[in-house]
Amino acid sequence: MLLDEVYFWTDTIKDWTKIFSIDKYKIIVIDTLRVLVNRKKIVVYAFVIMPNHLHLVWQMIALNGKEMPYASFNKFTSHQIFKDLKLHHFDILSYFKVSDGERNFRLWQRDPLAILMDAPDKLEQKIDYIHLNPLQERWQLCEKPEDYEWSSAMFYEKGIDNFGFLTDYRDLL
């Protein structure tokens, strides 16, 4: 990923474990995005948090220290979720055990999907995909995109930013 480019990003939980069925872990994701936006490291145009993965349309605008903001996002969310699992859900922690020499536990699968949004129609198609994701037959999490609490659909449908960090993608066009 390059600074100042807009990407469609998919981050998946190791082994597709449905860790985001627990709302407090979705809140960690939201809070981390908010911090990175407030620190002017990223711009978030659209997102959805699904039970075992998330999609974002975002832009890295400045390094976070020496690393790209997505790396900080993955490290911080992993750390916070593992900290809570150790305290409150120790039995679930074993799902994330690894022995890869780098670490003992891994939350996010390696190599998230990053697709450069280099055309307006591609950008709009990915944002529609994000907002329709909770309605897919596999998930059936809501009946209308704006009814799903953990996405930016309400922002685009009704102009309500319940998260305090969204930027309208049409500002790019």
Side-chain angles (χ1 to χ4, degrees):
M1 284 182 63
L2 301 171
L3 288 176
D4 297 322
E5 297 288 352
V6 177
Y7 288 87
F8 170 77
W9 175 272
T10 300
D11 231 342
T12 304
I13 299 297
K14 179 185 170 293
D15 299 328
W16 293 86
T17 304
K18 294 180 179 173
I19 195 71
F20 294 128
S21 321
I22 303 169
D23 282 355
K24 64 182 167 180
Y25 300 143
K26 291 189 281 251
I27 291 167
I28 288 171
V29 167
I30 296 296
D31 289 346
T32 304
L33 291 171
R34 185 179 300 111
V35 165
L36 289 169
V37 167
N38 289 342
R39 293 183 58 224
K40 301 192 181 335
K41 304 299 178 189
I42 64 171
V43 177
V44 178
Y45 298 103
F47 78 95
V48 66
I49 305 171
M50 300 299 290
N52 57 14
H53 67 285
L54 59 85
H55 299 292
L56 290 154
V57 171
W58 62 350
Q59 183 176 17
M60 307 290 115
I61 54 176
L63 293 178
N64 190 34
K66 293 181 180 180
E67 66 186 3
M68 289 292 278
Y70 69 82
S72 301
F73 170 83
N74 280 1
K75 281 184 198 175
F76 188 78
T77 53
S78 296
H79 177 75
Q80 293 300 309
I81 289 170
F82 286 146
K83 190 165 113 179
D84 187 81
L85 286 172
K86 286 174 188 171
L87 288 173
H88 303 291
H89 308 282
F90 196 76
D91 53 318
I92 297 174
L93 195 58
S94 63
Y95 290 108
F96 303 100
K97 184 88 174 121
V98 293
S99 53
D100 62 11
E102 275 182 47
R103 57 185 54 103
N104 295 323
F105 297 96
R106 177 178 296 283
L107 181 72
W108 301 105
Q109 283 186 183
R110 291 178 182 263
D111 302 323
L113 176 68
I115 300 172
L116 180 64
M117 296 290 97
D118 53 3
D121 57 333
K122 187 191 284 188
L123 176 65
E124 290 179 334
Q125 183 271 328
K126 291 300 185 191
I127 290 174
D128 286 344
Y129 175 81
I130 284 172
H131 293 155
L132 293 171
N133 206 219
L135 282 71
Q136 288 182 1
E137 188 175 335
R138 173 181 181 189
W139 300 111
Q140 299 180 15
L141 298 173
C142 60
E143 293 192 17
K144 295 184 297 190
E146 63 270 23
D147 292 341
Y148 188 62
E149 179 180 2
W150 306 101
S151 97
S152 53
M154 176 73 80
F155 175 69
Y156 285 102
E157 186 62 32
K158 299 189 178 177
I160 299 168
D161 181 1
N162 290 322
F163 309 101
F165 61 72
L166 292 166
T167 297
D168 195 317
Y169 79 91
R170 292 167 289 207
D171 295 347
L172 291 168
L173 306 177

